[in-house]
Amino acid sequence: MDMLVSIYGPTYLAKSDYYCHTNHDNVESHMEIAHSVQQIKPSYIREILAAASDENVISLAGGLPDEQTFPIHLMKPAIESLPTMRDVFQYGPTPGYEPLIAHLTQSYQLPETHRVITCTGSQQGLDLIARAYVNPKDTIAMEAPCYLGAMQVFGLAQANLVTISQDEFGPNISELEQCFKTESPKMFYAVPDFHNPTGVCWSLEKRHQVAALCMKYNVVFIEDAPYRELRFSGDALALVSDFCPDHSIVLRSLSKVASPGLRFGTVSGKQSYLEPLVKVKQGADLHSSTPVQAIILGLLQHPEFPSHLKAIRAVYQARHATLVQALQTYLPDGCTIIPTEGGMFVWVTLPTCDTYQLAHELLANKVAVVPSPVFYPASSQATSAIRLNFTNAAPEDLITAVQRIARVLKSNLTKI
Amino acid sequence: MDMLVSIYGPTYLAKSDYYCHTNHDNVESHMEIAHSVQQIKPSYIREILAAASDENVISLAGGLPDEQTFPIHLMKPAIESLPTMRDVFQYGPTPGYEPLIAHLTQSYQLPETHRVITCTGSQQGLDLIARAYVNPKDTIAMEAPCYLGAMQVFGLAQANLVTISQDEFGPNISELEQCFKTESPKMFYAVPDFHNPTGVCWSLEKRHQVAALCMKYNVVFIEDAPYRELRFSGDALALVSDFCPDHSIVLRSLSKVASPGLRFGTVSGKQSYLEPLVKVKQGADLHSSTPVQAIILGLLQHPEFPSHLKAIRAVYQARHATLVQALQTYLPDGCTIIPTEGGMFVWVTLPTCDTYQLAHELLANKVAVVPSPVFYPASSQATSAIRLNFTNAAPEDLITAVQRIARVLKSNLTKI
């Protein structure tokens, strides 16, 4: 769990840490925790991140957007009109605030047979999918490396996780078909647009191939698209789900382009797929905050929202360019970076080494990164790499951080 | 699940109904839903509530507070200052917005060893407790009749529900001890203040007795207190948890006295009990909406909030008095009401009859109520009764509704 906290960076871990002394849980508690929760692995990187709360440390370990990019001025009118909207303070329907549902249904261009529901962040959408469909031991396919929050949710559901390796164009297709054929997973979870942690954006060909395999083997594709709007250049590729609309569920988020603190995301797919999610959500929280949904509707309908998206892309494109250039300038031979055109992360593969040990040394040198093994269900699968976030550090700090990383790498690699 | 919708009344069911055609779920879907979700009973009262969406029907079936009581003017300053609070739009800590946590820790007067976390309504708090602690087949004790949302959450956790009967002073103590002794439940879930559906407020003696039994048999008491602030007269009794602070978890809500649409509740108890909840919540939604928590903090700190509570109590006390007087005036012999001094519901026990059939006839006569069997894990346990809500209908409608109920009852009871 603490691993998940890590994606928000040190401060949040420090806070959460206050609550998470796993080892004495069961001593003090009169209640044995559920088996599903007992399975949660202790964090391997807590100490790294705890130490990183030192303000002299430059953290590229988190996954936070830059607060300065939040379009608060575009949300202001909706926020200020809330006091006049008495109805949004009453209980609302579980699927979501109806004017927003109507807006999303149109903007997502959903077919007649499909629906969208709103959630407390797309993280909740993923949790609802797991709770509605996954029984203990059910097989779920996912890419490796993979988003920590997804491993956590499917772990809570006690799923059997099988992983598919990834190249710079997306998942290995023959591996995927082999997996579908021999393991018949219930779903394939993936982040095709600017993957976390690798930044990979699936090629159009891979998207067609994955959709075809999902239909052929009747595997439901869970398409998690939180970074989709963070494309630096060129046009968006079709969603994988566009090629298998009746074999997929799509998760969308406004956390990266608007505000993660509001906690807003959506799940869309055919009605029969969403009905069980609504039933689980009724028990989970009745519905997500309606005033928040009214703010989101105001933002999405604001005439300047499209230009805000352009602006935020430009900010992150510049940070990305700064980071990549610094990496190309300073990194020693044997380190490679996967080119990417969007998202929030750069994945740096390294000559084989102990990446935990490396992360420790980097911290001693005042820079925090996330070592690759935490992104794998089985750390042993991990190739040596580190994930660098470029959205929440100033350009000059990105350069300084890379210089520190390069210095430590050089002294380390000579030791190897 | 649909039963839960019913507590929000017809309109919300009508909306949610759109999403819930259980019978064709599994035909259309390529994914079999999880066993835990398959266990959800179909709604026995959907047609009653669907029919109740007729605007000529007076609905006493719901559980909504009166929108006119929402203290929007007291939330307005906090709402309007949100645009100046950029930090609340960033990712926040899972346990909650720290200034609010600090405020609640003080106002709840929590001991050093205890913590409070914020949730998306206390419904989410209950769900987190079930997910963190309940394994399939674990025994959970609860009162019968009982809050639908609790049956639903523990049902999703596939718990073995055992029930304790209730008199007008609280649960039957000898039954409770027998249950603790022979079934050793993991927890005892209850609503001691103005119970839903019966309105019963536990006597001080019962509170002491239940706390003593929880300590003696090492059963954790889950105290759900959403109606606690809705006391019409006299001083609040101690929480049951005050007598067994280290064997209890307390759920609080602002949905009845402030706004249910905001979705805000809290869970408090000793730190070791809350840590697993925080871990589950990290996967469930990372954290609840921080701007919402900032609004709640502004409301709780508003100097006029205490007088708002007085005002809302006066409004509901008058509605309650109107309903009770009408019931005493018009109900035929053989019908009894449990006296209560707060909350949102009056429980009317009837001569033995088919309460579903009765609810149907009442609908045909333009009044909606909830029949008793839906509040029991096993309908067969139910004694004949109906739940009447008095917080969301005008006084004159309450009287008209009772006259209609009385007319139908009289013609029915003569038939018996």
Side-chain angles (χ1 to χ4, degrees):
Chain A
M1 284 298 183
D2 310 321
M3 290 196 295
L4 183 67
V5 181
S6 72
I7 69 178
Y8 311 121
T11 47
Y12 298 105
L13 182 93
K15 288 162 176 169
S16 166
D17 209 24
Y18 181 61
Y19 284 80
C20 298
H21 306 294
T22 315
N23 299 343
H24 77 254
D25 269 7
N26 299 335
V27 182
E28 263 191 26
S29 175
H30 294 271
M31 278 193 292
E32 187 199 24
I33 62 175
H35 303 142
S36 55
V37 179
Q38 288 173 12
Q39 298 191 341
I40 293 160
K41 290 184 236 157
S43 171
Y44 298 111
I45 56 172
R46 170 183 297 165
E47 57 185 295
I48 292 176
L49 287 158
S53 54
D54 171 351
E55 63 179 13
N56 299 318
V57 170
I58 299 172
S59 178
L60 307 189
L64 282 72
D66 185 331
E67 281 180 28
Q68 298 310 316
T69 66
F70 299 161
I72 293 173
H73 60 296
L74 304 185
M75 296 190 274
K76 198 162 185 269
I79 290 170
E80 289 177 342
S81 64
L82 284 179
T84 68
M85 304 169 69
R86 191 165 285 272
D87 61 314
V88 302
F89 292 90
Q90 184 57 282
Y91 281 113
T94 301
Y97 178 51
E98 295 189 323
L100 178 58
I101 293 292
H103 175 90
L104 295 170
T105 301
Q106 189 168 40
S107 64
Y108 294 170
Q109 300 179 302
L110 296 181
E112 207 22 69
T113 55
H114 285 216
R115 297 288 182 265
V116 56
I117 65 173
T118 62
C119 299
T120 308
S122 57
Q123 181 73 30
Q124 187 190 36
L126 186 56
D127 189 49
L128 293 175
I129 290 169
R131 295 180 73 184
Y133 289 106
V134 180
N135 293 311
K137 299 199 174 55
D138 278 355
T139 295
I140 305 298
M142 60 204 316
E143 296 168 286
C146 181
Y147 169 52
L148 291 166
M151 286 195 284
Q152 171 185 33
V153 160
F154 290 122
L156 268 171
Q158 303 179 64
N160 164 40
L161 298 181
V162 296
T163 58
I164 310 302
S165 67
Q166 188 192 54
D167 63 33
E168 67 182 281
F169 304 107
N172 179 310
I173 296 299
S174 55
E175 243 184 74
L176 187 66
E177 177 154 25
Q178 190 57 24
C179 167
F180 283 7
K181 203 182 291 179
T182 60
E183 313 234 25
S184 48
K186 198 163 195 172
M187 349 176 153
F188 176 34
Y189 167 85
V191 182
D193 289 294
F194 315 117
H195 184 268
N196 173 2
T198 63
V200 164
C201 183
W202 292 11
S203 67
L204 191 59
E205 183 189 12
K206 293 266 195 186
R207 291 169 192 247
H208 278 291
Q209 291 169 322
V210 169
L213 288 178
C214 286
M215 290 187 287
K216 178 177 178 185
Y217 292 96
N218 199 21
V219 175
V220 176
F221 185 65
I222 308 301
E223 182 159 25
D224 194 359
Y227 310 106
R228 183 168 171 81
E229 285 70 33
L230 293 180
R231 165 177 286 279
F232 302 148
S233 61
D235 298 332
L237 296 172
L239 288 166
V240 176
S241 305
D242 291 341
F243 304 125
C244 56
D246 290 337
H247 289 72
S248 57
I249 297 178
V250 182
L251 295 161
R252 291 176 173 93
S253 170
L254 279 179
S255 294
K256 316 308 185 215
V257 296
S259 156
L262 280 170
R263 309 303 305 125
F264 179 80
T266 69
V267 188
S268 57
K270 62 184 181 185
Q271 181 175 347
S272 61
Y273 278 175
L274 295 196
E275 286 161 351
L277 273 62
V278 172
K279 292 176 181 234
V280 174
K281 187 167 168 64
Q282 285 173 349
D285 61 12
L286 308 182
H287 63 85
S288 295
S289 177
T290 312
V292 166
Q293 296 180 67
I295 294 170
I296 295 294
L297 178 59
L299 174 65
L300 295 177
Q301 292 181 324
H302 196 293
E304 292 172 36
F305 186 62
S307 49
H308 160 72
L309 290 179
K310 281 205 190 71
I312 197 173
R313 288 181 192 122
V315 170
Y316 290 155
Q317 177 173 28
R319 300 254 180 107
H320 174 262
T322 302
L323 177 63
V324 168
Q325 187 179 22
L327 289 168
Q328 289 167 336
T329 306
Y330 298 108
L331 281 190
D333 296 345
C335 305
T336 58
I337 64 176
I338 299 179
T340 175
E341 286 160 349
M344 298 173 65
F345 306 106
V346 168
W347 185 247
V348 182
T349 56
L350 309 169
T352 303
C353 64
D354 178 338
T355 50
Y356 285 119
Q357 174 57 27
L358 173 66
H360 276 289
E361 288 190 41
L362 288 173
L363 253 195
N365 288 268
K366 306 297 183 198
V367 56
V369 304
V370 182
S372 53
V374 305
F375 300 105
Y376 292 78
S379 326
S380 56
Q381 298 173 287
T383 52
S384 298
I386 53 176
R387 188 193 72 174
L388 306 181
N389 166 262
F390 56 82
T391 59
N392 198 40
E396 57 274 23
D397 288 338
L398 289 171
I399 296 169
T400 307
V402 172
Q403 290 168 332
R404 293 174 184 175
I405 293 169
R407 194 169 58 242
V408 171
L409 276 176
K410 281 172 183 151
S411 65
N412 264 45
L413 298 182
T414 52
K415 288 189 211 141
I416 295 171
Chain B
M1 285 298 183
D2 311 319
M3 291 197 293
L4 183 69
V5 181
S6 73
I7 68 177
Y8 312 120
T11 46
Y12 299 106
L13 180 92
K15 288 162 177 171
S16 165
D17 207 25
Y18 181 60
Y19 285 78
C20 298
H21 306 293
T22 315
N23 299 341
H24 77 253
D25 268 6
N26 299 335
V27 182
E28 263 193 25
S29 175
H30 295 270
M31 278 193 293
E32 187 198 25
I33 61 174
H35 303 142
S36 55
V37 179
Q38 287 173 12
Q39 297 190 342
I40 293 159
K41 290 184 236 156
S43 171
Y44 297 112
I45 55 172
R46 170 183 298 165
E47 56 186 297
I48 292 176
L49 288 159
S53 52
D54 171 351
E55 62 180 12
N56 299 318
V57 170
I58 299 172
S59 178
L60 308 189
L64 282 71
D66 186 331
E67 282 179 29
Q68 298 310 316
T69 66
F70 299 161
I72 293 174
H73 59 297
L74 304 185
M75 296 190 275
K76 198 163 185 268
I79 290 171
E80 290 176 342
S81 64
L82 285 180
T84 67
M85 304 169 69
R86 190 165 287 271
D87 61 314
V88 301
F89 292 90
Q90 183 58 283
Y91 280 113
T94 300
Y97 178 51
E98 295 190 323
L100 178 58
I101 293 291
H103 175 90
L104 295 170
T105 301
Q106 189 168 40
S107 64
Y108 294 169
Q109 301 178 303
L110 296 182
E112 216 8 81
T113 55
H114 285 217
R115 296 289 181 267
V116 56
I117 65 173
T118 62
C119 300
T120 307
S122 58
Q123 181 72 31
Q124 187 190 36
L126 186 56
D127 189 48
L128 293 175
I129 291 169
R131 295 180 74 183
Y133 289 107
V134 180
N135 293 311
K137 300 199 173 59
D138 278 355
T139 295
I140 305 297
M142 60 205 316
E143 296 168 287
C146 181
Y147 169 51
L148 292 166
M151 286 195 284
Q152 171 185 31
V153 161
F154 290 122
L156 268 171
Q158 303 180 63
N160 165 40
L161 298 181
V162 297
T163 58
I164 310 301
S165 67
Q166 187 193 54
D167 63 32
E168 67 182 280
F169 304 107
N172 179 309
I173 296 299
S174 55
E175 243 184 76
L176 187 66
E177 177 154 26
Q178 190 58 26
C179 167
F180 284 7
K181 203 182 291 178
T182 60
E183 313 235 25
S184 48
K186 198 162 196 174
M187 4 180 139
F188 176 34
Y189 167 85
V191 182
D193 289 293
F194 316 116
H195 184 268
N196 174 3
T198 64
V200 164
C201 183
W202 292 12
S203 67
L204 190 59
E205 184 189 11
K206 293 265 194 187
R207 292 171 191 246
H208 278 291
Q209 292 169 323
V210 169
L213 289 178
C214 286
M215 290 187 288
K216 178 176 177 185
Y217 293 97
N218 199 22
V219 174
V220 176
F221 186 64
I222 309 300
E223 182 159 27
D224 195 359
Y227 310 106
R228 183 168 171 81
E229 285 70 34
L230 292 181
R231 165 178 286 280
F232 302 149
S233 60
D235 298 331
L237 297 171
L239 288 166
V240 176
S241 306
D242 291 342
F243 304 125
C244 55
D246 290 338
H247 289 71
S248 57
I249 297 178
V250 181
L251 295 160
R252 291 177 173 92
S253 170
L254 279 178
S255 294
K256 316 309 186 216
V257 296
S259 157
L262 279 171
R263 308 304 304 125
F264 179 80
T266 69
V267 188
S268 57
K270 61 183 183 183
Q271 181 175 347
S272 61
Y273 278 175
L274 295 196
E275 285 160 353
L277 273 63
V278 172
K279 293 176 181 233
V280 174
K281 187 168 168 63
Q282 284 172 350
D285 61 12
L286 307 182
H287 64 84
S288 294
S289 177
T290 312
V292 165
Q293 296 180 66
I295 294 169
I296 295 293
L297 178 60
L299 175 65
L300 295 177
Q301 291 181 324
H302 197 294
E304 292 173 36
F305 187 62
S307 49
H308 160 73
L309 290 178
K310 281 205 191 70
I312 197 172
R313 289 182 192 118
V315 171
Y316 290 156
Q317 178 173 28
R319 301 251 180 109
H320 173 263
T322 301
L323 177 63
V324 168
Q325 187 179 22
L327 289 167
Q328 288 167 336
T329 307
Y330 298 108
L331 281 190
D333 297 345
C335 304
T336 58
I337 64 176
I338 299 179
T340 175
E341 286 160 349
M344 298 173 66
F345 305 106
V346 169
W347 186 247
V348 182
T349 56
L350 309 168
T352 304
C353 63
D354 178 338
T355 50
Y356 284 120
Q357 174 57 29
L358 173 66
H360 276 289
E361 288 190 39
L362 288 173
L363 253 195
N365 288 267
K366 306 296 183 200
V367 56
V369 305
V370 182
S372 53
V374 305
F375 299 106
Y376 292 78
S379 323
S380 57
Q381 299 173 288
T383 51
S384 298
I386 52 177
R387 187 193 73 175
L388 306 181
N389 166 262
F390 56 82
T391 58
N392 198 41
E396 57 275 20
D397 288 340
L398 289 170
I399 295 169
T400 308
V402 171
Q403 289 168 333
R404 293 174 184 174
I405 292 169
R407 195 169 58 242
V408 171
L409 275 175
K410 280 170 184 152
S411 65
N412 264 45
L413 299 181
T414 52
K415 286 189 214 139
I416 294 170

